[in-house]
Amino acid sequence: MPEARPGSSVARARDLGLGIALAALVVFSSLTAPQFATAGNLQRIMLDISLLLMVAAGQTMVMLTRNIDLSVGSILGLSGIIVGFYLKDNPETGVLAILSAGVVIGLVLGLVNGVLVAWGRVPAVIATLGTLTVYRGLVFILSGGQQVNPQDIPRHLVAVARPGVLGVPLMVLLAVAVTAAAGLFLRYGRTGRAMYAVGSNPAAARLRGIDADRVILIAYLVTGALSGLAGVLYAARFATVNPASAGTGFELQVIAATVIGGTSVLGGRGGIGGTALGALFLGTVANALAVAGVSGFWQRAVEGFIIVVAVVLDAAVRRAALTGGRGRDV
Amino acid sequence: MSSRVRQWTRDNATELLLFVLWLGSLALGAVISPYFLSVQNLFDMTSQFMELGLMALAMTLVIILGQIDLSVASILALTGVVFGLLQEGGMHAGAAMLLALGLSAALGLFNGWLAVAFRLPALVVTLGTMALYRGAGQILLGDRSTYGFPLWFISVDFRYIPGTPVPYPLVIFCLFALVFFLLLHRTTFGRLVYAIGANQRACRFSGIHVDRIQVAVFTLSGLMAGAAGLMMSSRFASARWDMASGYELDVITTVVLGGTSIFGGRGTIAGTVLALFVIGTLRYAMGLANVLPQNQGVVIGLLLVMAVLLPELWARWRAHSFARAAEGGGLARVKVRERSL
């Protein structure tokens, strides 16, 4: 496959670049702040990014099909609020049932997105911008503006975000497992491959006999399910679910991680490996800033700066590779 | 004659529908509160959403171009913060206004330049600058607000054209709406914006300076966000880094509800202005009914989705019934003949 080579070498180069940047950051932070390179801090980073990792895996699939899901933060909030209020009255519910509830709620909300986009032909930006506001509105209406308090979250749920097997929290294991599964699915699964096909050339995909609507619907279902699961895990991690803050703005972090990881918003290009690196990079930067004692006020600007630099570098590298460094393409 | 009326109705279906929606939201407001339908109240109400309107005017051009600008609310906030800091530092407020406006245009220019120079989708670029610009405001001002603006600057919404109930924000918005109407519908520049939105590639091959126009439109978008930032600082008599957070969604909702296609090439200023009044009136009426702003999102979000979904379903149903008619069927054939007249 001679056509595949330039693209994949670019992808490898940019993953390598991101990896080097991450390594440099880790080395620099370890040298300047002794408390950075500790097992406790590593665990904190992993806990901080596990929600991001999971939802970004779904977002990668949606973006590969040339769509976008802006509603992930609101799905997280809605699932967290619904399950949280249920637990208030039923604290005895088992962990597995709680996690499944989150997944089911997410599936339903993802189904609405998928139907609107795939069947209703509503542009993804519009459809999920709409559901972002609608779902967030539902969070406020269902909660009556009340938050779920720490004493309402049962202890066995909080344990999910505490050190478990070999000192690793179950939540982190779950995030890693989801990421790995999504990676295998995209690489070897029939539907996973179809996601690339639909995103890179919809007309050709249709001629190949791929049911694009079904593929897009599945991508939204997966993203919804993972966001719903993330909502329950959010409750486990922070032991509070506030209607105004749970998941608000989370969609931007998720898209940032995906885009930094090299997945194109124009579809058909990218993958889980890059997304995972992107999430890890964002999480490490935030942590390194905090450990270095930089004021929290800087974090937002630094995040924005990283996104801009990452996409600009990506574009520059890609163009250099495509034109052999000879100039501009049309 | 009647066919010309029908043609006009068909050409302006979106605007007519929005006008009906606006009458509906006015009726809703009247039912909710007996004080709603007073002239003074109706005029005062507009001051709540004129900043949104200023940004929506420029966003209409951005979206017709086939792009999107997520950073407008961040530019609004940063402009307010910089204006506040400049005049806190002793600069004359008039000069500070000009400098802040210049900055906002430069921020928009930077968006456009990034997108053009590196052939990046504006969605990604402005996603980054959205965090970057708001973060810059946060670094500059920290967790406080700046105030102490001169008296002539503050409370623009409590000033009226002498002898009338017309507040100044509405006047400013109407002037800008007129400017944008002329720019989009009566100049070569406006025609080129439509052309690029409809087929960028063809425009490039026709020797149109696509990049230059795109940068110009993003600069305009930044400038209007800056103007909105000054207006909001005046209304609140203060500025903070987190003001108007999340507003970019309202701006985009307004433009899309106004019938502008997210794929570019289609849209009007009239549609945006009508949609602005629909959303503004609806929010105000819901506020009167004690619906919290957060809960209003359900209605606004549904409105947005329905505005795009229903025409699509309608078109599909029509295509379906035409297809059936083509196959032959008594009643359907009559319908087709009727339409061809």
Side-chain angles (χ1 to χ4, degrees), chain B residues 13-327:
Chain B
T14 316
E15 283 81 359
L16 281 173
L17 183 68
L18 285 170
F19 188 69
V20 172
L21 271 176
W22 185 50
L23 292 182
S25 36
L26 283 177
L28 182 72
V31 169
I32 288 167
S33 161
Y35 305 106
F36 179 79
L37 273 188
S38 78
V39 173
Q40 189 61 58
N41 180 62
L42 286 180
F43 273 109
D44 283 346
M45 164 187 88
T46 62
S47 296
Q48 313 258 341
F49 51 85
M50 286 302 111
E51 291 102 7
L52 193 66
L54 290 179
M55 293 189 282
L57 289 174
M59 186 71 84
T60 308
L61 267 63
V62 172
I63 296 184
I64 290 177
L65 204 58
Q67 307 284 347
I68 202 156
D69 186 351
L70 295 176
S71 70
V72 283
S74 301
I75 295 181
L76 183 158
L78 183 53
T79 307
V81 165
V82 168
F83 166 77
L85 285 176
L86 284 178
Q87 75 90 39
E88 234 178 47
M91 185 183 276
H92 183 267
M97 276 173 81
L98 284 180
L99 262 179
L101 280 178
L103 171 76
S104 68
L107 296 175
L109 181 92
F110 184 59
N111 283 336
W113 174 77
L114 277 177
V116 163
F118 298 97
R119 294 282 164 83
L120 285 166
L123 179 72
V124 178
V125 171
T126 56
L127 181 75
T129 54
M130 171 177 152
L132 183 63
Y133 296 163
R134 201 176 276 284
Q138 200 177 5
I139 292 172
L140 284 175
L141 198 56
D143 210 14
R144 66 185 184 100
S145 51
T146 130
Y147 46 89
F149 303 150
L151 276 177
W152 63 264
F153 177 79
I154 59 167
S155 306
V156 64
D157 51 332
F158 282 105
R159 292 163 207 270
Y160 302 88
I161 295 180
T164 68
V166 185
Y168 271 121
L170 183 63
V171 177
I172 296 170
F173 172 75
C174 286
L175 285 177
F176 273 113
L178 183 66
V179 168
F180 271 88
F181 174 81
L182 294 175
L183 182 68
L184 183 62
H185 300 300
R186 294 284 182 274
T187 66
T188 316
F189 179 84
R191 297 316 302 170
L192 289 180
V193 169
Y194 279 106
I196 294 170
N199 193 337
Q200 201 193 102
R201 232 179 138 74
C203 288
R204 226 178 258 287
F205 286 132
S206 312
I208 294 168
H209 294 294
V210 171
D211 292 351
R212 213 176 287 170
I213 287 174
Q214 190 174 328
V215 172
V217 167
F218 272 92
T219 309
L220 264 181
S221 178
L223 187 63
M224 293 311 286
L230 292 179
M231 191 184 271
M232 194 175 271
S233 307
S234 163
R235 279 207 304 132
F236 296 167
S238 69
R240 287 177 55 83
W241 70 269
D242 60 352
M243 63 185 186
S245 78
Y247 246 50
E248 58 279 343
L249 300 186
D250 280 37
V251 176
I252 295 166
T253 303
T254 305
V255 175
V256 171
L257 186 65
T260 301
S261 162
I262 199 80
F263 298 118
R266 227 152 40 79
T268 61
I269 291 294
T272 298
V273 172
L274 280 167
L276 173 72
F277 278 87
V278 169
I279 288 186
T281 310
L282 210 53
R283 274 201 187 270
Y284 187 78
M286 285 192 287
L288 282 180
N290 281 328
V291 180
L292 292 172
Q294 306 90 325
N295 302 5
Q296 296 169 10
V298 174
V299 175
I300 305 291
L302 280 177
L303 203 59
L304 172 68
V305 173
M306 288 305 153
V308 182
L309 182 64
L310 291 182
E312 163 70 25
L313 293 184
W314 169 244
R316 211 184 294 176
W317 182 77
R318 290 257 297 234
H320 183 70
S321 64
F322 279 130
R324 273 229 316 266
E327 285 164 19

Side-chain angles (χ1 to χ4, degrees), chain A residues 158-177:
Chain A
V158 173
V160 170
R162 297 278 177 273
V165 194
L166 298 172
V168 183
L170 184 62
M171 186 167 133
V172 174
L173 291 178
L174 211 53
V176 172

Side-chain angles (χ1 to χ4, degrees), chain A residues 1-12 321:
Chain A
M1 287 193 295
E3 308 88 4
R5 222 174 283 138
S8 62
S9 73
V10 170
R12 216 171 297 135

